[in-house]
Amino acid sequence: MDEFLHDHPSTPRTNDEKQAVVNRLKRIEGQVRGIQKMIEEDRYCVDILVQISAINAAMKKVGFSITERHIKHCVSDAIKSGEGNETIEELMEVMKQFSK
C-alpha cells in the first residue's frame, strides 16, 4: 500500500506518549550498537542471536503499542465519521506486513 488515508493521527500524540516511544527506540538503538560491538569482538554466535531476539521482541512491543493507540484513536474516530471500512482495510494491510 503506497498511500495511506491520513498523514497524521486523528488525535495528536501527547509529549509523554512521544517521549515513551522515543525512549524505547533509543534503548533498542543501544542494543543494536551492542550487537555491532559483539561482532567486532568476534563474540559467540549464540550470544549475538540472543541479543537479536531481544531486539526483535522490543521492536514488536513498540509496534503493538503504536497499533493499540492507532486502534483506540484513529480507527475509532474513522468508524465514527463513516470511514471505518477503509481505515480497517488499511490497518489489516499493515498488520499483514507485521506478520511476515
Side-chain angles (χ1 to χ4, degrees), residues 73-85:
H73 295 282
C74 303
V75 175
S76 176
D77 291 348
I79 290 168
K80 291 173 189 169
S81 71
E83 295 179 351
N85 289 338

Side-chain angles (χ1 to χ4, degrees), residues 16-97:
D16 286 346
E17 286 176 316
K18 289 179 197 177
Q19 197 57 54
V21 174
V22 167
N23 289 344
R24 281 185 183 176
L25 291 171
K26 285 180 179 180
R27 280 193 298 275
I28 293 166
E29 181 182 23
Q31 289 176 292
V32 171
R33 276 200 226 91
I35 290 176
Q36 291 170 338
K37 186 175 180 184
M38 291 174 81
I39 297 293
E40 291 168 354
E41 295 173 351
D42 204 24
R43 296 275 298 275
Y44 186 52
C45 296
V46 171
D47 292 339
I48 295 167
L49 292 170
V50 167
Q51 291 305 309
I52 290 170
S53 176
I55 290 169
N56 285 336
M59 285 300 297
K60 281 185 180 181
K61 190 172 180 179
V62 170
F64 285 126
S65 169
I66 292 172
T67 301
E68 180 180 17
R69 188 191 192 286
H70 181 66
I71 292 168
K72 287 181 176 178
H73 295 282
C74 303
V75 175
S76 176
D77 291 348
I79 290 168
K80 291 173 189 169
S81 71
E83 295 179 351
N85 289 338
E86 297 90 346
T87 303
I88 290 169
E89 284 301 315
E90 177 184 62
L91 177 59
M92 291 309 299
E93 286 300 315
V94 170
M95 295 309 295
K96 287 176 190 173
Q97 293 174 355

